[in-house]
Structure formats: C-alpha cells, structure tokens
Amino acid sequence: MPQFIDTRALNDDARNAAAREAALQQVSWPQNLAPPTVSYISHGHVAIVGPADAIRRAAGRLADSELASVTLIATQEDGDEASDTANAHYIACDAPRLEGYLGAFRMTAGENGPLLSKATIGRDHFDAVLDLGASPLMHYELPPPGYHRVTATTSLEQALGDLQECIGEFEKPRYFQIDAALCAHAGRGQSGCTRCLDVCPADAISSVKQEIVIDPFRCHGAGSCTSACPTGAIRYALPTPERLDDYITRLLATYHAEGGDTAVVRFLDQETQASEHDAPAGHVLDVPLEELGAAGLDHWLGAIARGAAEVRIVMHDALPPSLASLVRDQYAQATAMLEALGHDTRRLVQLDAGDADARDALPSVAPLATRLDAARPHGKREALNAILDFLAAHGTPRETRVAMPAGAPFGTLDIDTDDCTLCMACVAVCPTQALSSPGQSPALNFQESACVQCGLCETACPEQVIALHPGFMAAPEPRNRVATVKEEPPFECISCGKPFATASTIASIKQKLAAHPYFAGDAIKRLEMCEDCRVKDIWHDMARDPNAQLKV
C-alpha cells in the first residue's frame, strides 16, 4: 500500500530556510572595527607548583622548550635529589599564595611573604603558572590568562603545550564599559547593589572606595555582570546592547519580508554554534554571542516584542556555574514577567546544547500580531520599560503586584509617611531618580518603573522609614506613574520669613537636639531660623555677652 507523506512542513521549512539565508546575507552581525584592547607581555618565565615528583616530571617534558626559565615550587618534597632539575630553579614552599595574570603573576611564600620569583630568578613576577597541586592556588570558575591546571577537560599534555605558547605579546578586547553615574552600588557612604560582584565567575570585579572597578586583565567577558546590572551602568561592548537589539530587529524584519514565518530566535554562544554538525530548521534564527551572558531578559523579551514567536536560550555543561545560575535566574524573572503581562510563558524556553529535536521544534504559539519597531533607548531600564509597556499593551496585564525571584530588581517602596521628615537623603542617593523631589515645594515623588531595589534609600534614610517591597507590577499605569508619597508646606524662618525646610524636619531636629547645651533656653529658637539668620543671631548674642565666646 503506498504511503502518502505530508510535504507541507517540508515546504514551509524550505521557504523559511531561504528567508533566513536572505536575511543573514542582508543583515550583518555587529562588529567593532577597532575595539579597545588590553595587552599582555610574557617573556616565558614559568613556575610549576605542586608535589616534587609531579613538578619534576612536568619540567622534564619542557627540557627542550624555548621558555626563558622554569621554576619548580615544591609544596610536598619527597627527599630525592633534584638531579633532573639542573636546568630549572627549585624551591620548597608548602603554602604559596598566587595572584595576577599572564605576564604578571605574583607568588609569595604564605600571606604577605617574600616574592618567590625574586628569590629564584630575580624578577618581580612569573609570566605563567602550571598548578599541579591537589588544591588549586586560584579558586576561580574562570581563572586568569596564563594560569594552567590539569582538570577533567584539560590534560597535562594540553597544559604543557599552552605553557610553551605563552611567549610574546597578546591582546584581547576590553569587553565592558562602566558608567559610574548610573551605578547603584554605593552613594554618599552608603552601600547598595552588589549584583555584579556576586555573579562574576572570574572575580574580576571589586569595590574600591565604594566604586565598582573591573580588572580588564582578569575579565573573560562572560557577560554575567552586564545582564545582572539593573541600571545599565555596566555595558557589554561586543556588541553594545543597542547594536545587538538593532541586529535582532533587522534580522526578524528581513526574515518576515522574505516570506519566513513562525520565527524562533535562539540565543547561544559562538562555540556552541560552531560545534553543531548540521544547520537548524529554517525558522530558527541564531544570535551567536561571544558569551551567553552578553544578552539578558531585556534582549529575550525584546525579541518577542519584535516579532519572534519564541525565544530559546541554549545552555551547555561548560558554562561556569555562576553564569549558568544567572541565566536561570534571568529566565525565572522573564517568565514571571511574561505571565504577569498576560502572555504564554512557552514563548521563552531553555534548552540543552545538542538537543536537535528541541532546537528544531516548531513554536507552540504564534508571534504577536504587532511588532515593536522603535529603536532601543540608550538606558537599559528605559529600554526594558519600553518593551514591558508594549507587551502589556498586547497582553492582559495583572492589576496586582506579583512575586519575583529573590534579588530581582523590580518592586516598590514601603514608606512610613508619618515619620518621614522630607530630608531628601533618599533622593540624594537614588541612582535612577526613582525617588525625586519637584523642587517647588517640599515633596517626595516615587516612580516604580525606575526602581531597581538597590537599597541605597533604605540605608541612607536617617529616620529608617523606608523598606524595600519587591515584586513586579505589570499594569503600565501604576508602574509608570510618578506618585507623590508625601508633601508638606515649607517651614518659614521665624526671623526673615524665608522658607528653608519642612515642619516635620524642624520638629525632628528640635527633638534630637533638645538636650544639647548649645541650644539651651531661648537658643532652641535658632533651629527655627534659616542658615543666615542663625549666624546673625549667634553673633548678636556674642556682642551682648562677650563671655559667650568662650562657650563656642
């Protein structure tokens, strides 16, 4: 009996594949023609650290190499003569400490001990390190360039080969840009957001004098910090968020213009894409990233708003655990927001690398009937808000706030207005202007769509009347509204009549300073004067009573 095969799916795939190829030919991947770089200079001075027998065997295999020097640092000695290490420097140190990167590794004997490179080869640093110890000297998910260790994925043969190639000058891109003005990490001595510090797999981010600093020599460009940063203070540079969004927009628009339908946008890293043996189905449009963390929920949701029926994020086993955790957390946030906005959460899918069936599956839902065509705003939060407003307009958003995963940068503030004195300390530290003052009269305004839950206002408030209230408000009107939290008439100076504070502020100050000898008696009235009249009253008092100068 003859079998009849439904060829419609095959024809659709052929049409989609043709549309995809046409789109890829017309829309080029954004690349920096001359990206900023950092340089490493290595002369080939290598240190091999570990048990004596292991480091001797490794040194023996490097006997004919072109390395400038090899230093053996034995953490466990075996008592044998070091006859086979005649061409290498040898030193015993049971607890070496290591920091640095290719061309600039500083190894000391214990905490703050002498430099081992100075003691052996007379230099301030080693250029590269091979760690053969049972416990690694560097406990980073992504160790710095120049640090080699035998692992489940790296053999001793490969590590020795990498060591011999460490001579010369090497360059790599500066992956990130930092806008300190947008950073929610700290302000006016108060501590706030630490999201980038918590997720960096290379430990390349630090807080120096309450300012976020990224060490470009240790940075691997994993992208986790830029996805975690709620304000866009850390921006990925290869490509920038605007250029990436523009690429996705033009790719989808061209694909649909060429006759493609039911587009699926797949976010994956370039190595995963290169490892695939066959091309994906015709409706799958790839966004091959330098690192998977370079795109976050703003790009995923943006792709849905710009015409993708479904977005797929490809995970793989080689992802650093902190980066994998971040991607899963961003996915949980994005799906919670999609559901609150009234959209099918099947529009966003995580899948494993190598799962060809999941990769090529047709999407479960059709794309939105209307597409977001506006260019991405420069600010990350402004860009995300534009996407959320679009999805809300084409969905059925909930009118009540929904819970979000812990640490999500969405929510409102609970402010005890009875005890708030409108001192504006919270306004002074807010990095996104979620808290603001109109300026004409004493008032405190709040806009939820700008709040990233950094906590700076909570820690800066001298009255301790502010508390974070996490959650996501899908309905655009309450989320975008600038609401007046508290407003008071200005307090006028009792001497000249100039408004200079609020009644609640003056009452709070008088209560706190009532027992201070400087404001004893009638002097308490000075707190009800503006700064100019207060000074005049002090000098008039001194003129009437010269002995009062001794009390100042």
Side-chain angles (χ1 to χ4, degrees), residues 110-349:
E111 188 79 25
N112 299 321
L115 285 172
L116 298 181
S117 58
K118 182 70 75 172
T120 53
I121 58 175
R123 304 178 80 245
D124 290 333
H125 56 262
F126 295 112
D127 292 318
V129 174
L130 174 60
D131 185 357
L132 300 179
S135 179
L137 294 176
M138 289 189 154
H139 296 268
Y140 307 140
E141 295 174 17
L142 293 177
Y147 176 80
H148 305 280
R149 181 171 172 78
V150 177
T151 64
T153 58
T154 304
S155 65
L156 177 60
E157 191 71 30
Q158 180 180 344
L160 291 172
D162 292 340
L163 273 181
Q164 296 179 71
E165 295 178 358
C166 74
I167 304 172
E169 184 171 355
F170 308 89
E171 287 189 345
K172 75 171 183 181
R174 286 182 179 266
Y175 293 100
F176 298 99
Q177 302 166 346
I178 301 180
D179 185 348
L182 290 175
C183 184
H185 171 59
R188 302 200 175 203
Q190 306 298 326
S191 297
C193 177
T194 62
R195 292 179 176 95
C196 62
L197 292 165
D198 298 337
V199 300
C200 180
D203 200 30
I205 305 178
S206 58
S207 176
V208 180
K209 296 181 180 179
Q210 291 200 314
E211 183 174 336
I212 290 296
V213 176
I214 299 179
D215 185 343
F217 293 96
R218 291 166 61 185
C219 172
H220 282 255
S224 50
C225 58
T226 188
S227 292
C229 179
T231 66
I234 302 178
R235 289 165 51 82
Y236 203 78
L238 298 173
T240 63
E242 294 86 359
R243 296 185 70 188
L244 179 57
D245 258 17
D246 178 65
Y247 172 78
I248 295 170
T249 302
R250 291 187 294 118
L251 186 67
L252 283 165
T254 308
Y255 171 81
H256 289 116
E258 293 290 337
D261 59 13
T262 61
V264 168
V265 170
R266 190 171 65 135
F267 290 88
L268 73 170
D269 60 45
Q270 294 169 1
E271 289 188 9
T272 300
Q273 185 190 48
S275 67
E276 294 183 336
H277 300 295
D278 57 342
H283 60 280
V284 178
L285 306 179
D286 282 347
V287 179
L289 303 164
E290 178 93 10
E291 296 287 350
L292 188 61
L297 60 83
D298 51 324
H299 296 100
W300 306 340
L301 296 178
I304 294 172
R306 297 182 189 280
E310 187 178 302
V311 166
R312 294 170 184 166
I313 303 106
V314 181
M315 309 289 284
H316 59 84
D317 294 339
L319 279 176
S322 61
L323 178 55
S325 176
L326 171 76
V327 174
R328 286 192 291 268
D329 182 60
Q330 292 264 300
Y331 174 80
Q333 293 180 37
T335 51
M337 296 167 80
L338 269 180
E339 185 175 16
L341 290 162
H343 291 279
D344 196 319
T345 57
R346 291 179 296 174
R347 292 193 183 277
L348 192 61
V349 177

Side-chain angles (χ1 to χ4, degrees), residues 49-72:
V49 188
D53 56 344
I55 63 177
R56 287 193 184 112
R57 286 196 299 270
R61 299 175 67 174
L62 295 172
D64 298 326
S65 71
E66 296 182 359
L67 296 173
S69 70
V70 176
T71 299
L72 305 184

Side-chain angles (χ1 to χ4, degrees), residues 37 40 46 53 57 66 84 89 117 213 217 221 280 303 333 363 374 408 414 421 446 449 472 476 485 519:
T37 60
Y40 302 89
V46 169
D53 56 344
R57 286 196 299 270
E66 296 182 359
D84 57 344
H89 305 276
S117 58
V213 176
F217 293 96
Q333 293 180 37
D414 291 331
T421 63
F446 176 70
S449 60
F472 175 62
V485 177
F519 298 102

